[in-house]
Amino acid sequence: MPQAATVPMMSLPSSSPISLPVLSPSGRSNGPQAIGESERTRIADDLRALGMKDVRFAKSDRMLYSTEASIYQVDPIGVVVLDRPRDAVTVVRYCAEKKLPVLPRGGGTSLNGQTVNVAVVLDFSAHCRGIIAIDAEAKRCHVEPGVVLDQLNDALKSKRLMFAPDPNTGGHNNIGGMIGNNSAGAHSILYGRTSEHVLGLDVVFADGSTHRLDEGSCERDPAQRAIARAMADIALPLRDEIRARFPKIVRHVDGYNLDLFLEQLDRSTPGTFDRVNLATYVCGSEGTLATILEAELNLVAAPSKTGLAIVGFDSVDASLDALATMLSTTPAAVELVDDTIIDLARKNTEYARYVELMPQPTSGRALGAVMYVEYFGFAADGSDIRAKFGELKSKLPHAPIQCHLDPSAMKNAWTLRRACEPLLHGLPGARKPIGFVEDTAVAPERLPGFIREFKAILANHGTFAAFFAHASVGCLHIRPLLSLKSDTDREDMKAISTEIADLVVRHGGALSGEHGMGRSRTHLAERYFGAPLVDAMRRIAAVWDPDGRMNPGTKIRWTDPNTMVESLRVKPAATVLGIDGSNVYFDYEKEHGFGSAVEMCNGAGLCRRLTAGTMCPSYQVLRDERHSTRGRGNHLRLAITGQFSDDGKSPRWDDPDVYETLRLCLSCKACKSECPSNVDIAKLKAEYQAQRYRTTGVPLQARAFGAVRTLNRMGSLVHPIANALSRFPPFRWLQEKTLGLDRRRSMPPFGRSALRWMASRESTSSIAPDNAQVRAPAVVLFADCFATFSEPHVAHAAVETLEAFGYRVVMPDLGCCGRAQISMGDLERAKLTCAGTANALLAAVERERAVAVVALEPSCLSALKDDWQELKMDVGRSALVRLRDMSFLVEEFLDRRWDAHPKRPSFLAPTEDVVLHGHCHQKALWGSDSSAALLRRALGERITVLSTGCCGMAGSFGFTTDRFDLSMQIGEQSVFPAVRAAADATVCAPGTSCRHQILDGTARHALHPIEIVRRLLS
Ligand SMILES: Cc1cc2nc3c(=O)[nH]c(=O)nc-3n(C[C@H](O)[C@H](O)[C@H](O)COP(=O)(O)OP(=O)(O)OC[C@H]3O[C@@H](n4cnc5c(N)ncnc54)[C@H](O)[C@@H]3O)c2cc1C
Ligand code: SF4
Ligand code: SF4
């Protein structure tokens, strides 16, 4: 392991000193006005001169780090995205010289304001993700602070080891952040908090000196020995006070770990600090003591099997009354989910299906709450877990219990449990679930009484809360519904927090069981610990950081209760000015208005996951906050709420930085379903662009891409010439120069129009249609631009298959679905295009008395079923809803009506394996099974649905010179490797862009599902 203490001192740039008063005498931050833009520029230049490559001090860049998962927003001084942990030493030394505050940051998933401050932010999350060494035998590892928990546990899987603390944000939080917050998760009943698993830390102190902190290092390092000495001098006289005031429960992260320091002192050889480990004291310090460069962690054996019993109750009270019984079965976790969350999950596209994993109430009443009771097992056949299920059932004979051993069912159930907090943000109304008393903890046996009193306090203030999370250790998440825009509610917030602090003290509990103090709780420290202990903690913090420059104010210094209601992300007076419901292009009723649509992101950061789902393809490759859904949502919110405008009020539609942030959004719609708050960036992006185009006009490239149907029609008319031309290098050069179409991208070939094929088929039929044919139910085939003019064989297969099932197929020239214009933000034209096509489609449906509209291309169908429903266009809502409800992908239609088809041809025995890659819009809106179900009927076991994300093409996204490379990198994330791995299988993809991308990325020709079904028809 490299020795941090050997990092050489750098020579500082020669610019004049920057005098930034960090804290006012009251200990409050001076706020963003304390530093001007010119000083920021000077600091940024200095840092660049010191070799920092990614320095973000411009307002729109740094503001992406002004929020986290909390309610706060604070403009930082600037941000350094670190290339490697060691760069932090350079920055911290520079800040020490210039007396600048410093704030280390990981995934930014904190809930109390501890990662936002007027400071130079050090972002470890982008590049400091190295797993340096794993010693499986000694059960230890060394990691960089930006390593994501799930990333580490994936690397440990083959060694049957794991890092035990498991906060809900394991897919995107960082080890540095877990240490900073002393995180713990569902299994803390077995494993405790992060502080129980940190063996050593390499850190840089506020003065720029580097140290290795571990047990025994105080004896080696004079600086650490001096700190330990000073801490002992302050803490020992307060020994009794510390023992009396610190709670005796698993979960508590209030203040600093003085209780653990005392224990280490007690274990040390008299006159030495040989058992003191200052790393333990850094755990939970919320970035206020030292910056972590590397961590040595303890690992535990991973269970070979897990089992999950979900127990249903009529009410939260009933579930808590049964808690002791559940705990008596020695579970690994007991987690509560209440009815508010269950109802919200039922209304969410992604989570509704996971509710089915819960038990059905036997009483006939609705589920009032469920408890997730998890067991770890070590028997290969799972018999020990089954025995536990039996024990639980016998002890709770009247409760409905659903037991799961299937890994994918359990994964889905836990996905729902993890989404509890973000799901709450979907509650309608001005009042939102606000996190400021949300992780109080008491001994589990006190929970029923504690919760009753908690509810009474909320009721006194005219509100209520949802209840969920870690019942096993008495740490429930409770978010009262309040409106941050209301003066009265903000006053209530302060009063509730004080009353709850007193309640916690009465029950011997913790103010914070896992989320820390941040901005919302620091002022309560004296009320909770008493003045002498807080004074001791302040004096100790000053030993580590004499100027109070590390995350200033946080944790122990702020005393004013107003801190908790200041620097809010939602501004009390914030309105979206200059724009109202009448001049936006989309309807925002579902989001409760345009203003709340732009404020829907809660910052929890699920969109920064790297290992699951599609959201967010560009972030998964670039790992840049700016290109996460959260970054895009933040930029849009800041621009639209006037925070990037000169007057600070009017929305700014022409911000080049916001445009740049949106440029790499693929409009894949993954966020619309995967984001628990259903933040719909594709829609907001189109709206933002459209508002911008009101003044700038629509650029040539956007207009050309939006005219895809006309261009494809022209190409099809002269397809031999057009195809030759698109392979002709000078022509490709010209296309690149004028339209930005990258020369490396192959062009989709044109073919003879499927409309002409259909017309000639009808006119050359020598046999007049018989009565049966005339009477056959009609379906309208929505002939999209690609199946019509580029891939007519797909349309042919659809027509022939539908006819084989006994349908009369009508394929009129209806026009374009408007997908390309919507994605380009050319909404003025899209309104006309979509209305024209919708009217033509409605007329065709009426004329033919069609039983359904069937489509081939998921992105066209998503326009009809999703975008058309919200775009304000001149077609009646009920007609659009009717179209939505009768429209399907062709393969989905054939599967859904399986028992009602006029004819049902049999399939040939399959001779091939097929792998299916679903389209992003399909996955987001109606699931890959819409294609897979029919294929399963035809192919049986020989169809595999690939677990792939976005292919990276996304319509015209992957065609342009500025996005081609990213497009191919996104393909390499999951689609290309999965296709390559299925070397002997036929590749199937319903999306035309996906098929094109698969061809360019793997040289494999993918088929539309209906082509596969067609060739299996006997
Ligand atoms: C939906 C949701 C669910 C959550 N569930 C849980 C849960 O079950 N259990 C739980 O404990 N928490 C939970 N949290 C809180 C949070 O996710 C965890 O505390 C998480 O471990 C923080 O990691 P992070 O990388 O996001 O840290 P950040 O939020 O970036 O930082 C956390 C603190 O650590 C400090 N820090 C970060 N990096 C360093 C470094 N290199 N050196 C020194 N200090 C550093 C920061 O200054 C900050 O004070 C939840 C949050 C959300 C939004
Ligand atoms: S976009 Fe959605 S997933 Fe991402 S931080 Fe915001 S609310 Fe969370
Ligand atoms: S639409 Fe897709 S690319 Fe755009 S923000 Fe959402 S998930 Fe990311």
Side-chain angles (χ1 to χ4, degrees), residues 755-788:
L755 297 168
R756 291 171 66 196
W757 170 81
M758 194 72 175
S760 65
R761 201 164 168 260
E762 282 156 10
S763 66
T764 54
S765 172
S766 54
I767 310 163
D770 62 22
N771 278 346
Q773 275 173 304
V774 172
R775 279 200 312 273
V779 290
V780 176
L781 178 57
F782 188 83
D784 61 83
C785 314
F786 290 93
T788 308

Side-chain angles (χ1 to χ4, degrees), residues 265-521:
L265 274 184
D266 287 348
R267 284 192 284 113
S268 294
T269 311
T272 75
F273 297 102
D274 59 354
R275 306 305 296 274
V276 168
N277 183 350
L278 291 181
T280 313
Y281 203 70
V282 174
C283 292
S285 63
E286 299 178 26
T288 59
L289 297 183
T291 300
I292 302 157
L293 307 172
E294 189 176 314
E296 183 180 1
L297 306 173
N298 168 57
L299 306 172
V300 300
S304 41
K305 277 200 166 21
T306 63
L308 177 65
I310 308 184
V311 190
F313 295 94
D314 286 346
S315 64
V316 169
D317 287 350
S319 73
L320 294 178
D321 288 340
L323 180 58
T325 310
M326 289 180 263
L327 288 174
S328 72
T329 64
T330 55
V334 182
E335 300 273 297
L336 171 72
V337 179
D338 83 351
D339 54 342
T340 307
I341 293 162
I342 298 171
D343 286 347
L344 285 167
R346 282 204 179 97
K347 291 178 194 140
N348 182 289
T349 325
E350 165 86 4
Y351 297 97
R353 52 205 159 117
Y354 305 151
V355 177
E356 284 157 27
L357 298 164
M358 294 178 177
Q360 293 311 308
T362 44
S363 61
R365 290 158 64 181
L367 272 180
V370 295
M371 285 282 197
Y372 280 42
V373 187
E374 190 179 49
Y375 298 101
F376 283 176
F378 296 89
D381 62 355
S383 54
D384 46 357
I385 293 178
R386 275 195 204 89
K388 286 288 172 193
F389 286 163
E391 185 187 344
L392 183 70
K393 284 179 177 170
S394 70
K395 286 184 169 169
L396 291 172
H398 304 300
I401 302 180
Q402 188 77 40
C403 294
H404 299 284
L405 278 167
D406 170 43
S408 81
M410 287 191 285
K411 188 169 165 237
N412 290 340
W414 280 111
T415 301
L416 169 53
R417 159 60 196 93
R418 291 201 177 94
C420 287
E421 191 272 328
L423 273 170
L424 281 173
H425 291 267
L427 276 173
R431 282 185 153 185
K432 295 287 167 204
I434 308 295
F436 62 102
V437 285
E438 75 157 344
D439 58 325
T440 50
V442 294
E445 62 275 14
R446 301 196 74 136
L447 213 40
F450 176 75
I451 292 302
R452 274 188 276 275
E453 286 186 63
F454 204 125
K455 283 183 184 168
I457 291 175
L458 297 185
N460 263 345
H461 289 276
T463 188
F464 72 100
F467 295 84
F468 63 97
H470 321 300
S472 58
V473 284
C475 179
L476 287 195
H477 291 329
I478 309 165
R479 296 190 149 216
L481 285 192
L482 292 167
S483 167
L484 291 174
K485 299 192 186 219
S486 147
D487 295 344
T488 327
D489 280 17
R490 287 198 307 281
E491 285 308 309
D492 274 331
M493 213 171 129
K494 286 194 279 180
I496 292 170
S497 73
T498 313
E499 289 168 43
I500 296 295
D502 294 344
L503 176 69
V504 162
V505 172
R506 281 203 303 281
H507 282 266
L511 279 182
S512 172
E514 61 181 36
H515 296 160
M517 309 285 273
R519 290 178 170 255
S520 55
R521 270 193 286 234

Side-chain angles (χ1 to χ4, degrees), residues 600-608 615 629-630 674-677 679:
M600 265 168 82
C601 169
N602 58 59
L606 199 72
C607 46
R608 288 175 48 108
M615 169 180 72
T629 308
R630 179 170 78 174
E674 288 179 31
C675 159
S677 297
V679 170

Side-chain angles (χ1 to χ4, degrees), residues 629-647:
T629 308
R630 179 170 78 174
R632 295 191 179 113
N634 252 329
H635 254 178
L636 280 165
R637 178 181 59 82
L638 290 161
I640 293 170
T641 54
Q643 298 183 61
F644 285 160
S645 309
D646 293 339
D647 64 0

